Amino acid sequence: MGALDYLSNFCDTVSVSTTTIKKAKRKAMQTVEIKVRMDCDGCERRVRNAVTSLKGVKSVEVNRKQSRVIVSGYVDPNKVLKRIKSTGKVRAQFWPYVEQHLVHYPYAYGAYDRRAPSGFVRNVVQAAPSNHQEEILVSLFNDDNVNACSIM
């Protein structure tokens, strides 16, 4: 009877461990950009060490001039932000800026920010610009255009 109980306990633990292994999923590889104000080398070192010690982090890039931290790896963005805030940088936030050439009108209301690093503007929803080139081509071959015959 003792051997039978021993074997039944062994089989139960194997089935439990296989179900827990199947449920665990690996996080996707992603890049997290966070805005953190860093004044000195000590601040930069504290933030770098705190983020590097997270499980799943592959690379950490700290740019003190832009107040920007870029973390790449199999990490949760909220955990990275929470770890940076635990170093005393409570005003840390996700990177709110995009490159200036990716925005249709970078000086629109809400997009232009003086505190943004050079070449960046705030990421806001903007109205798509009207396509004047297409309007000209459509009106070029219109029946109302008196010079349409001369073009053809």
Side-chain angles (χ1 to χ4, degrees):
M1 225 190 212
L4 188 56
D5 290 335
Y6 176 74
L7 290 175
S8 65
N9 288 337
F10 181 74
C11 293
D12 290 338
T13 55
V14 170
S15 64
V16 170
S17 64
T18 56
T19 57
T20 56
I21 291 172
K22 291 180 182 177
K23 291 182 182 179
K25 291 185 180 179
R26 191 172 184 180
K27 294 180 178 128
M29 176 78 167
Q30 55 186 323
T31 302
V32 181
E33 299 180 17
I34 298 178
K35 178 183 173 187
V36 183
R37 185 167 178 238
M38 296 171 280
D39 299 325
C40 61
D41 291 334
C43 297
E44 183 178 336
R45 187 175 55 249
R46 248 191 334 251
V47 169
R48 182 186 303 275
N49 290 340
V51 174
T52 306
S53 65
L54 278 172
K55 183 179 177 183
V57 172
K58 296 296 179 191
S59 68
V60 177
E61 181 183 333
V62 179
N63 189 340
R64 189 182 350 161
K65 185 176 180 182
Q66 289 184 346
S67 300
R68 184 178 189 179
V69 177
I70 302 172
V71 181
S72 298
Y74 302 99
V75 294
D76 181 26
N78 293 323
K79 285 186 180 179
V80 174
L81 183 64
K82 186 176 179 182
R83 179 64 65 97
I84 289 176
K85 285 184 176 184
S86 72
T87 63
K89 304 295 182 183
V90 293
R91 297 184 73 191
Q93 62 182 355
F94 291 112
W95 187 253
Y97 304 117
V98 294
E99 292 185 24
Q100 190 170 8
H101 69 277
L102 297 176
V103 179
H104 296 295
Y105 187 63
Y107 298 104
Y109 177 74
Y112 181 71
D113 188 4
R114 282 189 194 167
R115 293 172 292 186
S118 62
F120 289 92
V121 293
R122 193 166 282 281
N123 189 11
V124 295
V125 178
Q126 294 182 346
S130 61
N131 197 352
H132 296 293
Q133 185 82 9
E134 189 175 309
E135 291 175 9
I136 292 170
L137 289 176
V138 170
S139 66
L140 191 62
F141 296 104
N142 194 353
D143 291 336
D144 297 333
N145 188 0
V146 291
N147 297 323
C149 294
S150 65
I151 294 173
M152 290 185 204

